[in-house]
Amino acid sequence: MADRKAVTTTGSTLRLRIAQLIWLAAVVCALFLAVGALLVALDANLDNALVRFVLDVAGALDLDVFSRRNGVFTFDGSDAATKNALTNWGLAAIAYLVVGRVLWRIVRP
């Protein structure tokens, strides 16, 4: 009986750790998208390696569904690039957080 309880406790701990990793990954993805949108809005220096890295990662995380250039929403006119980044990458960040939280609730014990 004690062995069964130990296995259950180990399994619960493992599921909890996996759920925490899923949530952490979702938060990190949302953070990259939000910071990327902020960098576009602030007209950050694109020659800076850190700025380029954040924008490249955010561009990969948008999965071409929430792309800055051809996303859910597309704006024209002045500040279109800023509006596209804030809207589409903002939606992508929210989507990552919602999906991450749902998966967290499913996986945790």
Side-chain angles (χ1 to χ4, degrees):
M1 192 68 154
D3 291 335
R4 184 180 175 112
K5 187 174 182 180
V7 170
T8 303
T9 303
T10 304
S12 296
T13 303
L14 180 62
R15 286 181 59 192
L16 179 62
R17 296 293 179 229
I18 292 171
Q20 289 172 338
L21 285 174
I22 289 170
W23 178 240
L24 179 64
V27 169
V28 169
C29 290
L31 186 62
F32 267 102
L33 288 160
V35 171
L38 181 64
L39 291 174
V40 170
L42 296 175
D43 291 325
N45 179 9
L46 296 178
D47 293 330
N48 184 294
L50 182 60
V51 171
R52 177 60 34 211
F53 173 72
V54 170
L55 293 178
D56 288 344
V57 171
L61 290 173
D62 68 20
L63 305 174
D64 287 334
V65 174
F66 300 102
S67 172
R68 284 192 297 159
R69 291 173 182 82
N70 190 21
V72 175
F73 293 100
T74 54
F75 296 94
D76 295 323
S78 65
D79 295 329
T82 300
K83 292 175 186 175
N84 284 334
L86 289 173
T87 304
N88 289 312
W89 281 358
L91 285 174
I94 291 168
Y96 271 100
L97 292 175
V98 168
V99 169
R101 196 57 160 184
V102 168
L103 290 175
W104 177 80
R105 287 190 179 242
I106 290 171
V107 173
R108 75 181 169 97

